[in-house]
Amino acid sequence: MSIKALKGQWDAVAIAAAILLALSLVFGGASREHALRLALVELAALPLLVLAANRLIRSGDWRKSRFALSLLGLLAAIPLLQLIPLPPFLWTALPGRQEMVVALELAGLQPGWAPITVTPDLTWQSALALIPPAAMFLAVLGSTQAQTARMLAFYLVIAVISVALGAAQLASGGRQLYLWATTNAGSVNGFFANRNHLATYLLACVPFAAVFGAAVLRRRTDERLPLWFGALFLGLVVVGLAAIRSRAGVILFGPIAITSLLAAWVAAGRGRPGPGLLALTGGVGAAIAAVALLALPPILARFDAQSAPEGRFEGWPIVADAADAWLPLGSGIGSFDAVFRSVEPLEQLDPTFFNHAHNEYLETWLEAGWPGVALIIAFLVWYGRRTITAWKAGPSRERDLQRAASIALLAMLAHSGVDYPLRTAALAVLFALCAAILEKAGQPTERDRG
């Protein structure tokens, strides 16, 4: 390999992206009460943000992704606009502020200037939390296919290590191997504070392992390591999800595995399934059979509504009513906990607390109002268009990754309907990486440009 080629693979942006990727996985697996670790991830993202933005501007490549970059700009604008101080006559007229006005009057105080958000400190934190995914999105937009593939390979390796760490956590019986104070000892968490988020991470990695393995069949090389790694990885994910016992992870695995194997078939050349594709499918089937024989009762117990009542479903109507009361602009990004405590029925009070809605779409409606809903709809339109384009294209290294990225994004979007995975820096950065890969579906591939 020439020195010039080596520099192209490890330029300043690639190095900064690798640092952010590593720190986000090690220090970004929690969403609260670990401010110092999360601040390290955000600080590590600043150099990448500047370098990646500068590269896109100098090359002019930003013009190819105007709509996607506009969505990113609007995402950052919502919390920043919510922080702008408003005169008393304006903010006091907004829905949801009546109790605040009454409290000030009872204290003998006159309303002063105040922002839209009712928790300015948490809204600032939420705005800063956007820096790592934004930096990764810009970096991948300007990266080559080879650089992006290396990042994804790193994610797969870390996924294997995370499952191994989770197995050690389970076997230890104590808290010494858990990386976060706010976690449930006795569960398989890996690098995350929440086992459900580890399940999301594994699901998002499945399609990339599948297409990496199947792509060697199309190229008809003697190299079979990616194929066997893909088969073993899919089997490991089945076993890992069984140990994690995330209900959403178990339910989503079937659809994600099927679509991932379909993407693998396309990556292999859309021909008649041969031994290679059968090996990928066999890895899944063998692991499912082993889990069914050895670990099915504990998994089924997680779906027993009588033994484990689900509080999030009871909380959703309360959140929806609160969101309606704060329309049209919402209560402020990051304000969910404070708002929910003010409307939570007394009969539901217990030693636990509802820190998130466990439904990102519902929580966004409460915190960002109609602007947040509009942004979600615009993103889904973008996602649908890029996904159709990626799946209509023929097999190639870039298109294979784009199809896999569409599946990974679907896994995270679906899990966000019953949890809050994207509130963690690790998964937010992975989401941004996948979004940037999919954005390139609307552009010519490197081979087309060559």
Side-chain angles (χ1 to χ4, degrees):
M1 181 180 293
S2 66
I3 298 298
K4 183 178 180 181
L6 185 62
K7 289 182 178 179
Q9 291 181 4
W10 292 105
D11 57 13
V13 175
I15 294 172
I19 294 173
L20 173 60
L21 191 154
L23 290 179
S24 69
L25 288 170
V26 176
F27 297 126
S31 59
R32 61 186 179 91
E33 297 184 7
H34 297 90
L36 179 58
R37 298 189 199 181
L38 298 178
L40 289 175
V41 179
E42 292 163 5
L43 289 173
L46 289 174
L48 179 61
L49 183 68
V50 174
L51 292 170
N54 179 64
R55 182 171 67 179
L56 285 176
I57 293 172
R58 293 181 62 182
S59 65
D61 288 342
W62 66 272
R63 297 185 181 90
K64 303 174 184 177
S65 303
R66 286 190 179 94
F67 185 75
L69 291 172
S70 297
L71 292 181
L72 179 61
L74 291 173
L75 177 64
I78 288 178
L80 294 178
L81 291 175
Q82 290 179 337
L83 287 164
I84 297 176
L86 300 177
F89 77 90
L90 192 55
W91 76 261
T92 56
L94 294 174
R97 275 70 179 181
Q98 293 78 10
E99 293 182 0
M100 299 171 61
V101 175
V102 171
L104 289 172
E105 291 176 350
L106 291 176
L109 301 175
Q110 291 295 322
W113 286 62
I116 293 174
T117 175
V118 298
T119 55
D121 56 332
L122 298 179
T123 302
W124 266 118
Q125 291 181 22
S126 299
L128 294 175
L130 293 174
I131 295 176
M136 183 58 70
F137 183 79
L138 297 182
V140 176
L141 278 185
S143 297
T144 65
Q145 181 273 333
Q147 291 171 334
T148 304
R150 276 191 294 275
M151 294 183 197
L152 293 169
F154 184 78
Y155 270 111
L156 296 179
V157 172
I158 293 297
V160 174
I161 297 174
S162 194
V163 172
L165 175 60
Q169 292 168 342
L170 190 62
S172 69
R175 299 187 63 91
Q176 59 270 23
L177 294 180
Y178 290 91
L179 306 181
W180 307 94
T182 53
T183 192
N184 293 322
S187 61
V188 177
N189 294 357
F191 288 106
F192 292 87
N194 188 319
R195 63 180 174 183
N196 295 308
H197 298 165
L198 174 59
T200 308
Y201 177 44
L202 295 180
L203 288 173
C205 289
V206 164
F208 294 109
V211 299
F212 276 144
V216 301
L217 301 175
R218 183 182 73 245
R219 296 195 290 269
R220 302 185 184 280
T221 65
D222 294 331
E223 184 184 10
R224 287 294 183 266
L225 180 60
L227 177 63
W228 294 115
F229 176 83
L232 292 173
F233 185 88
L234 294 181
L236 178 66
V237 169
V238 175
V239 175
L241 291 175
I244 295 167
R245 287 187 286 172
S246 166
R247 285 167 292 186
V250 171
I251 293 172
L252 288 174
F253 176 75
I256 296 302
I258 292 172
T259 50
S260 297
L261 291 173
L262 180 59
W265 173 70
V266 176
R270 288 194 173 100
R272 182 178 179 180
L277 286 178
L278 294 178
L280 287 173
T281 307
V284 177
I288 291 176
V291 168
L293 289 173
L294 302 175
L296 189 57
I299 297 174
L300 294 178
R302 287 280 292 149
F303 292 89
D304 187 352
Q306 294 181 348
S307 63
E310 188 49 71
R312 74 188 71 186
F313 300 142
E314 299 175 0
W316 286 352
I318 303 172
V319 177
D321 290 340
D324 186 64
W326 287 85
L327 291 177
L329 299 179
S331 58
I333 303 297
S335 65
F336 173 83
D337 186 30
V339 173
F340 187 81
R341 288 174 188 267
S342 70
V343 297
E344 186 177 13
L346 293 177
E347 59 271 16
Q348 291 191 13
L349 293 179
D350 56 38
T352 65
F353 68 100
F354 207 45
N355 62 314
H356 286 290
H358 293 269
N359 183 319
E360 282 293 345
Y361 309 101
L362 194 56
E363 188 162 341
T364 300
W365 185 26
L366 169 63
E367 295 182 341
W370 290 123
V373 173
L375 184 59
I376 290 175
I377 293 173
F379 173 83
L380 293 177
V381 170
W382 168 87
Y383 171 77
R385 293 180 60 185
R386 289 292 182 264
T387 297
I388 292 172
T389 302
W391 281 87
K392 287 173 63 177
S396 70
R397 292 184 177 182
E398 287 183 273
R399 300 309 186 198
D400 293 342
L401 293 184
Q402 290 159 12
R403 284 182 283 269
S406 71
I407 301 171
L409 289 172
L410 179 62
M412 289 184 273
L413 289 171
H415 207 170
S416 293
V418 292
D419 211 330
Y420 49 96
L422 300 183
R423 302 267 171 172
T424 66
L427 290 174
V429 170
L430 176 58
F431 188 91
L433 185 148
C434 294
I437 294 173
L438 186 59
E439 166 59 19
K440 293 184 178 181
Q443 304 172 14
T445 63
E446 292 179 4
R447 183 174 61 182
D448 295 335
R449 292 190 294 269

